[in-house]
Every structure is written in structure tokens, then in C-alpha cells.
């Protein structure tokens, strides 16, 4: 009975936790989405990473030999590969977006897309290899919203590091690697309470990172609005002079 309640607690956090914090992120931050070109290139890059680099490296770490338990060492190797590949996708988007990516909310949105693409492909690979009921497939899909949570958290940590908050930024940036590795380890051992604990730490770190960045995001959004209003006034003034 105790194991049942542990599993139920884990399942609720596993399925609804990522959805809740990402919904909070979208409502609270109201992020500026990058150009369609940036998003398309992130999709292409992330797909290539998932199909080639990530798959090959993960199979070399943990071959498909029936081994179910993931050691902490294996968990760290997998988390380092996955999280680094996803953040590289977001960084590529920043380099492509250029002026757009100067804004903090756009950087976080690029991280969202990079992680989301990974999560969708991961969900598809699970569904194609095993039969799921519609409810099971839905729960699984909701759980695959955790990759963008990891990637956004890592991006938030990097932004804080760049802005001079070294200790805090490093702590937040490292957390996805640690919690991802330990979550995989405890889940593979069927220690649902342990997996749930690290899942909650992941969600909590995400919220803390975004909350710390909110004043910066708000100030940038006000600046962006000012720039837009000034540009509109300048254009109107220019045409009024021409008409006059």
C-alpha cells in the first residue's frame, strides 16, 4: 500500500508538474517568440542531434542489453550528453536570431523550443516501441515536458552567470545535470519517492531561476515597448513631413 501511494504521488508530479510550471512560465514571462527561421533551424538541429549524436552516444554508454538499472555514473553521462546537446540547440538559435536574442525572454523561449523538440521525439520513440493506452500515452506526453524545464533552467543559470551572479548562476546551471542524473537512477531502481524528490527539486529550481530573472525581463520588456513606440512616432513624423 505504501508503494502504491509513493507511485501515485510520483505519477501526479511526473505528469502534471512540468505542465504546471511551463504554464506558469508562459503566463508570468509572456515571452517574445523568435522568428520562424530561428525556430525552424532549432527544429532541424535538434532533430539531427537526437537522431545521430545523442542516440549513438547514449547507446555506447548503456547498450540495449536488457540492463534496466541505471547507475549514478551512467545517469550523469546521459544527463551531460542530453542537457549539453539541448542547450547547444538553443545557443545556435541565439546566434541565428541575433538582435532578437538580445532579450532575456527570447533566450529562454529558444531554450523552451530546443527542449520541447527533444521531448516530443523522446515521446514518439517510447510510443513506437511499446503499446500504450490513450491515457498512458497522454501521461507520457505530459511527462516529456520535463526536457524543456531542464533546458530553460540551464539557460537561466547561464544568463545569471553572464550577468555577474556567479554562485547563484552556477548552482542553477548545474542543477539540471544533477537532478536529471539522480532522477533517472532512482526511477530505474523503482524508488518512486527518490525519483519524485528529485523531480520536485527540478521544478523548484526552474521556478526560482525564472523568478530571479523576472525583474530583468520586465525591465527589458518596458525598454522594448519604448523602442517600438519611438520607432512608430519617428515613422509617423517622417511621413507627416513628407505630406506637408
Amino acid at each position: 500500500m505504501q508503494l502504491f501511494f509513493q507511485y501515485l504521488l510520483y505519477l501526479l508530479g511526473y505528469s502534471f508538474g512540468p505542465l504546471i510550471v511551463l504554464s506558469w512560465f508562459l503566463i508570468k514571462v509572456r515571452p517574445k517568440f523568435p522568428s520562424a527561421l530561428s525556430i525552424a533551424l532549432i527544429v532541424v538541429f535538434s532533430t539531427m542531434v537526437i537522431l545521430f549524436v545523442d542516440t549513438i552516444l547514449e547507446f555506447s554508454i548503456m547498450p540495449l542489453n536488457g540492463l534496466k538499472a541505471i547507475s549514478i555514473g551512467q545517469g550523469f553521462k546521459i544527463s551531460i550528453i542530453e542537457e549539453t546537446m539541448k542547450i547547444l540547440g538553443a545557443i545556435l538559435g541565439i546566434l541565428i536570431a541575433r538582435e532578437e536574442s538580445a532579450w532575456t525572454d527570447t533566450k529562454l523561449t529558444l531554450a523552451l523550443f530546443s527542449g520541447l523538440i527533444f521531448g516530443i521525439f523522446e515521446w514518439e520513440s517510447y510510443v513506437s516501441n511499446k503499446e500504450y493506452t490513450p491515457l498512458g500515452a497522454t501521461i507520457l506526453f505530459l511527462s516529456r515536458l520535463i526536457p524543456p524545464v531542464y533546458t530553460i533552467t540551464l539557460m537561466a543559470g547561464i544568463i545569471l552567470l553572464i550577468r555577474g551572479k556567479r554562485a547563484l548562476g552556477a548552482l542553477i546551471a548545474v542543477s539540471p545535470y544533477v537532478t536529471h542524473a539522480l532522477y533517472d537512477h532512482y526511477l530505474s531502481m523503482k524508488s518512486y519517492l527518490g525519483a519524485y524528490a528529485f523531480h520536485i527539486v527540478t521544478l523548484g529550481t526552474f521556478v526560482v531561476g525564472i523568478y530571479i530573472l523576472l525583474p530583468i525581463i520586465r525591465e527589458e520588456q518596458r525598454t522594448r515597448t519604448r523602442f517600438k513606440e519611438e520607432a512608430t512616432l519617428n515613422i509617423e513624423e517622417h511621413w507627416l513631413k513628407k505630406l506637408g
Side-chain angles (χ1 to χ4, degrees):
M1 184 63 72
Q2 186 180 2
L3 183 63
F4 171 77
F5 282 116
Q6 284 185 15
Y7 180 71
L8 183 63
L9 186 68
Y10 157 76
L11 188 62
L12 290 170
Y14 174 81
S15 56
F16 290 106
L19 177 64
I20 290 168
V21 297
L22 285 177
S23 299
W24 173 82
F25 167 77
L26 292 171
I27 293 166
K28 201 77 177 172
V29 174
R30 301 191 303 276
K32 182 181 185 297
F33 287 85
S35 65
L37 175 63
S38 301
I39 295 170
L41 287 170
I42 286 176
V43 170
V44 171
F45 180 78
S46 298
T47 302
M48 289 173 63
V49 166
I50 294 159
L51 294 179
F52 298 102
V53 182
D54 198 42
T55 305
I56 292 167
L57 288 176
E58 281 202 34
F59 283 175
S60 69
I61 291 168
M62 199 176 70
L64 298 175
N65 59 2
L67 183 66
K68 292 182 180 179
I70 298 173
S71 69
I72 292 176
Q74 286 173 321
F76 270 104
K77 288 175 184 177
I78 292 168
S79 76
I80 288 167
I81 291 166
E82 288 188 358
E83 301 314 322
T84 303
M85 291 300 102
K86 286 186 292 172
I87 202 67
L88 285 176
I91 290 169
L92 176 69
I94 289 170
L95 294 174
I96 293 162
R98 294 185 182 179
E99 289 183 10
E100 285 182 299
S101 63
W103 310 108
T104 300
D105 57 350
T106 303
K107 288 184 178 75
L108 295 171
T109 307
L110 289 165
L112 167 68
F113 276 104
S114 183
L116 191 59
I117 294 301
F118 182 90
I120 290 170
F121 270 89
E122 201 172 39
W123 175 75
E124 286 181 342
S125 70
Y126 290 155
V127 170
S128 62
N129 289 321
K130 186 180 175 182
E131 286 188 12
Y132 284 88
T133 63
L135 177 60
T138 303
I139 291 171
L140 181 64
F141 178 79
L142 291 175
S143 77
R144 292 306 84 205
L145 295 176
I146 198 67
V149 170
Y150 285 130
T151 313
I152 294 170
T153 304
L154 179 49
M155 180 62 78
I158 291 170
I159 292 168
L160 288 169
L161 272 168
I162 293 168
R163 288 184 167 271
K165 297 182 184 294
R166 293 180 182 176
L168 187 60
L171 185 64
I172 291 173
V174 167
S175 69
Y177 291 103
V178 176
T179 56
H180 184 168
L182 293 173
Y183 172 82
D184 282 355
H185 167 68
Y186 281 103
L187 182 60
S188 72
M189 301 297 290
K190 290 189 165 66
S191 174
Y192 296 116
L193 202 57
Y196 178 76
F198 284 105
H199 193 66
I200 293 302
V201 171
T202 297
L203 301 178
T205 310
F206 170 87
V207 171
V208 168
I210 299 304
Y211 188 79
I212 292 168
L213 286 174
L214 272 177
I216 297 168
I217 292 168
R218 290 283 180 267
E219 183 57 37
E220 287 181 352
Q221 287 173 340
R222 284 192 289 268
T223 302
R224 199 161 61 216
T225 302
R226 259 196 326 269
F227 285 163
K228 189 175 179 181
E229 287 172 353
E230 286 171 7
T232 304
L233 285 170
N234 288 337
I235 290 168
E236 288 175 354
E237 201 174 296
H238 170 75
W239 282 105
L240 282 170
K241 283 180 181 178
K242 271 201 162 188
L243 290 169

